[in-house]
mmCIF file of all heavy atoms in Angstrom:
data_model
loop_
_atom_site.group_PDB
_atom_site.id
_atom_site.type_symbol
_atom_site.label_atom_id
_atom_site.label_comp_id
_atom_site.label_asym_id
_atom_site.label_seq_id
_atom_site.Cartn_x
_atom_site.Cartn_y
_atom_site.Cartn_z
ATOM 1 N N ALA A 1 199.369 119.919 17.612
ATOM 2 C CA ALA A 1 199.078 118.960 16.594
ATOM 3 C C ALA A 1 199.615 117.557 16.990
ATOM 4 O O ALA A 1 199.029 116.565 16.816
ATOM 5 C CB ALA A 1 199.652 119.373 15.258
ATOM 6 N N GLN A 2 200.836 117.561 17.616
ATOM 7 C CA GLN A 2 201.477 116.326 17.922
ATOM 8 C C GLN A 2 201.337 115.950 19.402
ATOM 9 O O GLN A 2 201.766 114.887 19.832
ATOM 10 C CB GLN A 2 202.953 116.390 17.605
ATOM 11 C CG GLN A 2 203.210 116.544 16.122
ATOM 12 C CD GLN A 2 204.680 116.579 15.816
ATOM 13 O OE1 GLN A 2 205.439 115.735 16.259
ATOM 14 N NE2 GLN A 2 205.084 117.456 14.960
ATOM 15 N N LYS A 3 200.736 116.861 20.180
ATOM 16 C CA LYS A 3 200.579 116.673 21.626
ATOM 17 C C LYS A 3 201.903 116.317 22.327
ATOM 18 O O LYS A 3 201.992 115.368 23.065
ATOM 19 C CB LYS A 3 199.507 115.535 21.900
ATOM 20 C CG LYS A 3 198.133 116.000 21.436
ATOM 21 C CD LYS A 3 197.115 114.916 21.720
ATOM 22 C CE LYS A 3 195.737 115.251 21.334
ATOM 23 N NZ LYS A 3 195.479 116.151 20.329
ATOM 24 N N ARG A 4 202.894 117.109 21.975
ATOM 25 C CA ARG A 4 204.281 116.971 22.479
ATOM 26 C C ARG A 4 204.788 118.324 22.941
ATOM 27 O O ARG A 4 204.376 119.361 22.438
ATOM 28 C CB ARG A 4 205.184 116.413 21.420
ATOM 29 C CG ARG A 4 204.910 115.010 21.016
ATOM 30 C CD ARG A 4 205.807 114.561 19.915
ATOM 31 N NE ARG A 4 205.612 113.153 19.591
ATOM 32 C CZ ARG A 4 206.096 112.573 18.536
ATOM 33 N NH1 ARG A 4 206.860 113.258 17.676
ATOM 34 N NH2 ARG A 4 205.866 111.288 18.304
ATOM 35 N N ILE A 5 205.739 118.232 23.853
ATOM 36 C CA ILE A 5 206.467 119.451 24.276
ATOM 37 C C ILE A 5 207.884 119.272 23.881
ATOM 38 O O ILE A 5 208.600 118.420 24.411
ATOM 39 C CB ILE A 5 206.354 119.664 25.845
ATOM 40 C CG1 ILE A 5 204.910 119.777 26.290
ATOM 41 C CG2 ILE A 5 207.159 120.930 26.260
ATOM 42 C CD1 ILE A 5 204.370 118.511 26.837
ATOM 43 N N TYR A 6 208.305 120.021 22.831
ATOM 44 C CA TYR A 6 209.674 119.872 22.300
ATOM 45 C C TYR A 6 210.592 120.823 23.114
ATOM 46 O O TYR A 6 210.228 121.902 23.560
ATOM 47 C CB TYR A 6 209.708 120.324 20.862
ATOM 48 C CG TYR A 6 209.132 119.274 19.923
ATOM 49 C CD1 TYR A 6 207.775 119.333 19.588
ATOM 50 C CD2 TYR A 6 209.928 118.279 19.380
ATOM 51 C CE1 TYR A 6 207.194 118.347 18.742
ATOM 52 C CE2 TYR A 6 209.396 117.358 18.572
ATOM 53 C CZ TYR A 6 208.071 117.375 18.241
ATOM 54 O OH TYR A 6 207.511 116.394 17.439
ATOM 55 N N THR A 7 211.782 120.288 23.371
ATOM 56 C CA THR A 7 212.778 121.034 24.118
ATOM 57 C C THR A 7 214.097 120.990 23.435
ATOM 58 O O THR A 7 214.459 120.048 22.710
ATOM 59 C CB THR A 7 212.948 120.457 25.529
ATOM 60 O OG1 THR A 7 213.292 119.077 25.452
ATOM 61 C CG2 THR A 7 211.698 120.635 26.355
ATOM 62 N N GLY A 8 214.907 122.023 23.638
ATOM 63 C CA GLY A 8 216.283 122.145 23.138
ATOM 64 C C GLY A 8 217.197 122.504 24.260
ATOM 65 O O GLY A 8 216.854 123.371 25.081
ATOM 66 N N GLY A 9 218.289 121.838 24.350
ATOM 67 C CA GLY A 9 219.296 122.167 25.373
ATOM 68 C C GLY A 9 220.649 122.398 24.741
ATOM 69 O O GLY A 9 220.758 122.963 23.676
ATOM 70 N N ILE A 10 221.671 121.947 25.399
ATOM 71 C CA ILE A 10 223.037 122.050 24.932
ATOM 72 C C ILE A 10 223.452 120.772 24.262
ATOM 73 O O ILE A 10 223.517 119.717 24.910
ATOM 74 C CB ILE A 10 224.018 122.443 26.097
ATOM 75 C CG1 ILE A 10 223.534 123.717 26.751
ATOM 76 C CG2 ILE A 10 225.457 122.598 25.551
ATOM 77 C CD1 ILE A 10 224.199 123.998 28.084
ATOM 78 N N ASN A 11 223.580 120.823 22.915
ATOM 79 C CA ASN A 11 223.893 119.641 22.117
ATOM 80 C C ASN A 11 222.826 118.541 22.268
ATOM 81 O O ASN A 11 223.103 117.386 22.022
ATOM 82 C CB ASN A 11 225.270 119.028 22.469
ATOM 83 C CG ASN A 11 226.394 119.930 22.002
ATOM 84 O OD1 ASN A 11 226.373 120.470 20.934
ATOM 85 N ND2 ASN A 11 227.410 120.063 22.815
ATOM 86 N N GLU A 12 221.605 118.930 22.539
ATOM 87 C CA GLU A 12 220.549 118.001 22.669
ATOM 88 C C GLU A 12 219.204 118.594 22.363
ATOM 89 O O GLU A 12 218.965 119.747 22.663
ATOM 90 C CB GLU A 12 220.469 117.376 24.082
ATOM 91 C CG GLU A 12 219.382 116.368 24.225
ATOM 92 C CD GLU A 12 219.434 115.630 25.605
ATOM 93 O OE1 GLU A 12 220.438 115.683 26.298
ATOM 94 O OE2 GLU A 12 218.429 115.066 25.926
ATOM 95 N N PHE A 13 218.319 117.812 21.713
ATOM 96 C CA PHE A 13 216.896 118.205 21.546
ATOM 97 C C PHE A 13 216.074 116.947 21.520
ATOM 98 O O PHE A 13 216.555 115.838 21.256
ATOM 99 C CB PHE A 13 216.679 119.031 20.286
ATOM 100 C CG PHE A 13 217.051 118.293 18.993
ATOM 101 C CD1 PHE A 13 216.093 117.593 18.301
ATOM 102 C CD2 PHE A 13 218.341 118.390 18.462
ATOM 103 C CE1 PHE A 13 216.382 116.929 17.137
ATOM 104 C CE2 PHE A 13 218.613 117.777 17.295
ATOM 105 C CZ PHE A 13 217.690 117.036 16.607
ATOM 106 N N GLY A 14 214.787 117.133 21.854
ATOM 107 C CA GLY A 14 213.858 116.020 21.896
ATOM 108 C C GLY A 14 212.505 116.503 22.317
ATOM 109 O O GLY A 14 212.176 117.680 22.154
ATOM 110 N N TYR A 15 211.642 115.602 22.830
ATOM 111 C CA TYR A 15 210.315 115.974 23.206
ATOM 112 C C TYR A 15 209.852 115.170 24.432
ATOM 113 O O TYR A 15 210.307 114.059 24.713
ATOM 114 C CB TYR A 15 209.326 115.880 22.057
ATOM 115 C CG TYR A 15 209.134 114.496 21.537
ATOM 116 C CD1 TYR A 15 208.247 113.593 22.124
ATOM 117 C CD2 TYR A 15 209.824 114.032 20.458
ATOM 118 C CE1 TYR A 15 208.059 112.307 21.692
ATOM 119 C CE2 TYR A 15 209.689 112.772 19.922
ATOM 120 C CZ TYR A 15 208.794 111.884 20.586
ATOM 121 O OH TYR A 15 208.588 110.600 20.100
ATOM 122 N N PHE A 16 208.931 115.774 25.096
ATOM 123 C CA PHE A 16 208.223 115.125 26.204
ATOM 124 C C PHE A 16 206.783 114.893 25.713
ATOM 125 O O PHE A 16 206.216 115.715 25.031
ATOM 126 C CB PHE A 16 208.165 116.042 27.487
ATOM 127 C CG PHE A 16 209.444 116.224 28.207
ATOM 128 C CD1 PHE A 16 210.349 117.251 27.790
ATOM 129 C CD2 PHE A 16 209.836 115.413 29.224
ATOM 130 C CE1 PHE A 16 211.511 117.377 28.460
ATOM 131 C CE2 PHE A 16 211.001 115.586 29.887
ATOM 132 C CZ PHE A 16 211.907 116.562 29.490
ATOM 133 N N GLU A 17 206.246 113.758 26.133
ATOM 134 C CA GLU A 17 204.850 113.468 25.912
ATOM 135 C C GLU A 17 204.293 112.642 27.078
ATOM 136 O O GLU A 17 205.052 111.950 27.724
ATOM 137 C CB GLU A 17 204.574 112.832 24.555
ATOM 138 C CG GLU A 17 205.162 111.425 24.361
ATOM 139 C CD GLU A 17 204.929 110.898 22.940
ATOM 140 O OE1 GLU A 17 204.174 111.521 22.192
ATOM 141 O OE2 GLU A 17 205.504 109.868 22.658
ATOM 142 N N PRO A 18 202.988 112.741 27.329
ATOM 143 C CA PRO A 18 202.463 111.977 28.499
ATOM 144 C C PRO A 18 202.407 110.533 28.214
ATOM 145 O O PRO A 18 202.082 110.062 27.114
ATOM 146 C CB PRO A 18 201.040 112.583 28.592
ATOM 147 C CG PRO A 18 200.780 113.328 27.380
ATOM 148 C CD PRO A 18 202.040 113.600 26.706
ATOM 149 N N ASP A 19 202.707 109.730 29.261
ATOM 150 C CA ASP A 19 202.535 108.262 29.203
ATOM 151 C C ASP A 19 201.090 107.920 29.537
ATOM 152 O O ASP A 19 200.289 108.819 29.707
ATOM 153 C CB ASP A 19 203.640 107.562 30.070
ATOM 154 C CG ASP A 19 203.480 107.901 31.562
ATOM 155 O OD1 ASP A 19 202.380 108.408 31.944
ATOM 156 O OD2 ASP A 19 204.438 107.693 32.293
ATOM 157 N N ILE A 20 200.827 106.686 29.705
ATOM 158 C CA ILE A 20 199.415 106.325 29.976
ATOM 159 C C ILE A 20 198.914 106.796 31.313
ATOM 160 O O ILE A 20 197.741 106.897 31.502
ATOM 161 C CB ILE A 20 199.247 104.782 29.867
ATOM 162 C CG1 ILE A 20 200.154 104.017 30.858
ATOM 163 C CG2 ILE A 20 199.459 104.249 28.488
ATOM 164 C CD1 ILE A 20 199.860 102.553 31.016
ATOM 165 N N ASN A 21 199.802 107.113 32.190
ATOM 166 C CA ASN A 21 199.429 107.698 33.521
ATOM 167 C C ASN A 21 199.410 109.227 33.547
ATOM 168 O O ASN A 21 199.117 109.823 34.557
ATOM 169 C CB ASN A 21 200.384 107.190 34.630
ATOM 170 C CG ASN A 21 200.305 105.664 34.761
ATOM 171 O OD1 ASN A 21 199.268 105.092 34.661
ATOM 172 N ND2 ASN A 21 201.475 105.070 34.884
ATOM 173 N N GLY A 22 199.746 109.826 32.363
ATOM 174 C CA GLY A 22 199.708 111.253 32.299
ATOM 175 C C GLY A 22 201.060 111.914 32.685
ATOM 176 O O GLY A 22 201.216 113.130 32.566
ATOM 177 N N LYS A 23 202.019 111.133 33.111
ATOM 178 C CA LYS A 23 203.355 111.651 33.469
ATOM 179 C C LYS A 23 204.182 111.824 32.199
ATOM 180 O O LYS A 23 204.163 110.972 31.308
ATOM 181 C CB LYS A 23 204.081 110.670 34.432
ATOM 182 C CG LYS A 23 205.356 111.213 34.917
ATOM 183 C CD LYS A 23 206.008 110.238 35.918
ATOM 184 C CE LYS A 23 207.258 110.990 36.422
ATOM 185 N NZ LYS A 23 208.377 110.161 36.639
ATOM 186 N N LEU A 24 204.927 112.931 32.141
ATOM 187 C CA LEU A 24 205.677 113.206 30.935
ATOM 188 C C LEU A 24 206.929 112.284 30.905
ATOM 189 O O LEU A 24 207.644 112.087 31.860
ATOM 190 C CB LEU A 24 206.185 114.677 30.919
ATOM 191 C CG LEU A 24 205.081 115.697 30.744
ATOM 192 C CD1 LEU A 24 205.726 117.087 30.719
ATOM 193 C CD2 LEU A 24 204.277 115.472 29.484
ATOM 194 N N SER A 25 207.154 111.721 29.721
ATOM 195 C CA SER A 25 208.314 110.931 29.477
ATOM 196 C C SER A 25 209.087 111.604 28.308
ATOM 197 O O SER A 25 208.512 112.196 27.444
ATOM 198 C CB SER A 25 208.017 109.441 29.189
ATOM 199 O OG SER A 25 207.235 109.372 28.038
#
């Protein structure tokens, strides 16, 4: 739905999404 890849680590969480070149940021 959001076209994102959510990640969780150690004391951190966030998401990756493609930039205009298709590379994940």
Side-chain angles (χ1 to χ4, degrees):
Q2 298 183 45
K3 296 182 178 25
R4 292 177 175 168
I5 303 99
Y6 285 91
T7 56
I10 302 167
N11 290 319
E12 182 175 342
F13 62 91
Y15 62 85
F16 290 88
E17 65 182 351
D19 62 18
I20 59 171
N21 298 319
K23 185 176 185 218
L24 291 181
S25 61

